[in-house]
């Protein structure tokens, strides 16, 4: 397989995912992936879960968030800082959100931070089926967070994001995802 520079592949993947987001198939896959996640009992024994508010071309996670809350699991939303750190901030249905500099919704007035999560839904642009390597957005937020915090990780991977093997160079600082919930091509 051809190995592309990360920056090139990120741009390509964002374009592919934006085009995919215009299709009904994207919504169908999002629902299928969330239901597959819930069918895998991944929330069993979990007391805290970390999530993001996805951009329109990322995979929706609302069904998972709602189920987690029904099961009494505390939900924490990613919050990034200019120094490339990231925390997870408690949020519920009443929490006020605002757009970050990256255009991602984050908690407007963080009160409770918890970085010792039982489960973390890790976003990305591309994932390797064979090795669970992940291509993120390039800031290294998740790689740094996961290097410091030990938690179970899972990513939802649609048909556009799934690669058999990495088509990008892997660095020593890149962190693999523990489990991929994917739709096969």
């Amino acid at each position: 397989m051809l190995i592309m520079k990360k920056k090139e592949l990120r741009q390509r993947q964002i374009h592919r995912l934006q085009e995919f987001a215009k299709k009904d198939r994207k919504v169908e896959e999002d629902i299928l992936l969330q239901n597959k996640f819930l069918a895998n009992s991944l929330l069993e024994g979990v007391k805290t879960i970390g999530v993001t508010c996805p951009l329109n071309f990322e995979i929706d996670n609302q069904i998972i968030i709602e189920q987690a809350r029904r099961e009494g699991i505390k939900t924490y939303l990613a919050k990034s800082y200019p120094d490339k750190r990231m925390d997870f901030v408690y949020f519920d249905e009443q929490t006020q959100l605002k757009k970050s500099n990256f255009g991602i919704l984050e908690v407007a007035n963080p009160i409770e931070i918890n970085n010792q999560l039982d489960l973390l839904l890790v976003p990305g642009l591309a994932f390797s089926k064979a090795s669970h390597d992940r291509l993120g957005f390039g800031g290294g937020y998740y790689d740094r967070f996961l290097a410091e915090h030990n938690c179970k990780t899972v990513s939802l991977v649609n048909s556009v994001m799934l690669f058999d093997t990495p088509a990008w160079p892997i660095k020593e600082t890149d962190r693999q995802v523990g489990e991929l919930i994917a739709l096969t091509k």
Side-chain angles (χ1 to χ4, degrees):
M1 171 173 277
L2 176 67
I3 301 290
M4 296 179 74
K5 290 182 180 175
K6 284 185 174 183
K7 185 175 182 179
E8 282 177 43
L9 186 56
R10 279 187 190 100
Q11 291 170 343
R12 179 177 162 239
Q13 280 298 99
I14 288 170
H15 176 73
R16 290 179 67 211
L17 289 164
Q18 287 172 334
E19 289 302 308
F20 187 61
K22 296 174 186 174
K23 300 176 181 175
D24 292 339
R25 183 72 189 150
K26 195 264 189 204
V27 173
E28 292 169 21
E29 285 194 20
D30 285 2
I31 292 168
L32 287 168
L33 287 165
Q34 290 180 86
N35 287 333
K36 189 172 179 181
F37 171 95
L38 294 172
N40 273 351
S41 305
L42 288 165
L43 293 178
E44 202 169 287
V46 170
K47 304 234 181 303
T48 58
I49 185 172
V51 299
T52 59
C53 282
L55 297 168
N56 70 328
F57 62 85
E58 291 182 285
I59 295 171
D60 187 14
N61 57 15
Q62 193 60 42
I63 295 170
I64 294 169
I65 292 170
E66 289 169 3
Q67 182 62 35
R69 288 180 176 158
R70 277 194 295 277
E71 293 183 21
I73 298 168
K74 289 181 84 172
T75 308
Y76 293 84
L77 187 64
K79 176 166 181 51
S80 58
Y81 302 99
D83 65 359
K84 298 208 177 202
R85 283 183 313 108
M86 182 170 70
D87 283 324
F88 283 85
V89 181
Y90 178 74
F91 89 111
D92 60 19
E93 297 86 353
Q94 283 75 46
T95 301
Q96 294 289 318
L97 302 175
K98 68 175 183 177
K99 280 194 178 181
S100 72
N101 293 340
F102 300 112
I104 299 168
L105 290 175
E106 294 182 343
V107 174
N109 300 305
I111 297 171
E112 178 187 340
I113 292 173
N114 182 359
N115 292 331
Q116 303 307 315
L117 303 165
D118 294 325
L119 182 64
L120 178 56
L121 284 178
V122 181
L125 297 170
F127 299 86
S128 164
K129 185 169 32 171
S131 62
H132 291 207
D133 284 300
R134 163 189 167 272
L135 179 70
F137 286 86
Y141 288 90
Y142 279 86
D143 292 324
R144 273 190 291 287
F145 183 86
L146 292 170
E148 291 181 27
H149 302 93
N150 185 25
C151 58
K152 185 175 179 180
T153 56
V154 63
S155 292
L156 304 178
V157 184
N158 68 27
S159 59
V160 177
M161 298 172 170
L162 189 61
F163 288 71
D164 288 331
T165 58
W168 58 93
I170 306 301
K171 290 182 173 177
E172 189 177 308
T173 54
D174 291 342
R175 298 288 181 233
Q176 295 172 323
V177 178
E179 186 160 348
L180 301 181
I181 302 295
L183 299 176
T184 55
K185 291 183 183 182

